[in-house]
Amino acid sequence: ASSCQSAVEGLEERKDMRVFSASRRRSSLVNTRRIVVLRAMALASTSSARLPPLQPPHLSEAQQELFDDIVSTRAGVVGKEALFDEQGGLRGPWNAEVASPHLGKHLERLASAVRHQNSLEPRLYEVAILVVGVHWRAQFEWYAHERLARKAGIAEAAFPLIKAGAPAERLRGVLKPDEAAVYSLALELMRTKRVSAPTYAATKAALGGDDRRMADLCMTMGCYSAVSAILNMFDVPLPAGEALPFLIQPADAASKQQHRAGGRDT
């Protein structure tokens, strides 16, 4: 009986080892696939462009005017590395704006007004912009505005939480109270496409009961939702060597996942 029990225990031990080894292999395979996807996406982002880089002297008069305006107003804000690609064309949303200058100039004016005529302090509107970037998983948006938010004084501990889409409760005590209120409203709006009465009231109170500040908050998020749509539709790359902030599934895998979910909006 003792030998039978030992044999059974030996079989169970070997079975557990096989299960453990299989689990480690699966985990290793998942990590390897993540690395391959990230590298492939980074390579794709730097090797192709959906819009050709538009730059002098191959611009119409309207394009040249907008190009010059963007360079003069943006270089000091985002830096030349973020503004220009390796061919000397504009990076970010600005190349698309120059491609359609009659519409692009108005989006650029709105974005400039968000920065220079906003009743919200930079630390507040940058929190909202980051939440929009996370919602869209817009690589360039996070790349550009993480550094701007850091410069505006957002606590370092907040960045990984915002990037992960953490619940608003986890940002309390990390962000300042008014920043946390902006985060809560922005997160709720991006996730549910609505803002509840309690969230609206709490955020308005945190912003001093000022209707203009609430309107500016909303228009800031609307502006950068448009910017994020441009960045994602045209698959705007980051500067060479920069790591992608978000892991995005290849289009076919995302399509299959949505099909399995029955086409529900996740």
Side-chain angles (χ1 to χ4, degrees), residues 206-263:
L207 296 180
D210 191 327
D211 288 330
R212 180 191 167 188
R213 300 186 90 195
M214 294 297 287
D216 285 354
L217 173 58
C218 186
M219 285 185 273
T220 296
M221 291 186 287
C223 174
Y224 280 92
S225 289
V227 169
S228 294
I230 290 172
L231 295 172
N232 284 4
M233 176 172 159
F234 293 111
D235 197 21
V236 173
L238 302 187
E242 293 287 344
L244 296 176
F246 306 111
L247 174 63
I248 306 295
Q249 293 175 313
D252 58 342
S255 177
K256 290 177 182 177
Q257 184 179 22
Q258 186 176 14
H259 179 73
R260 286 197 298 269

Side-chain angles (χ1 to χ4, degrees), residues 15-136:
K15 180 180 178 181
D16 289 343
M17 287 298 296
R18 287 196 299 270
V19 170
F20 176 72
S21 297
S23 176
R24 290 189 62 183
R25 285 195 299 272
R26 284 194 298 271
S27 177
S28 177
L29 181 59
V30 168
N31 289 333
T32 300
R33 285 174 177 168
R34 286 172 62 88
I35 292 170
V36 168
V37 168
L38 280 171
R39 288 177 176 172
M41 290 184 66
L43 180 61
S45 293
T46 57
S47 63
S48 63
R50 291 181 176 177
L51 279 179
L54 301 169
Q55 60 195 87
H58 311 292
L59 301 176
S60 69
E61 183 178 348
Q63 288 176 324
Q64 184 66 63
E65 182 179 351
L66 181 54
F67 185 100
D68 292 342
D69 183 59
I70 290 170
V71 171
S72 67
T73 58
R74 289 289 178 171
V77 176
V78 300
K80 292 184 177 180
E81 184 183 42
L83 184 62
F84 295 103
D85 64 19
E86 289 74 16
Q87 289 76 43
L90 295 174
R91 205 189 293 275
W94 304 294
N95 192 52
E97 290 176 353
V98 171
S100 178
H102 300 294
L103 293 183
K105 67 181 179 181
H106 295 293
L107 179 59
E108 184 59 22
R109 286 172 182 169
L110 176 58
S112 181
V114 165
R115 183 157 301 281
H116 298 293
Q117 297 176 286
N118 205 322
S119 62
L120 299 172
E121 299 94 317
R123 62 184 178 84
L124 295 174
Y125 64 67
E126 288 296 347
V127 167
I129 292 170
L130 287 179
V131 174
V132 172
V134 171
H135 172 75
W136 281 87

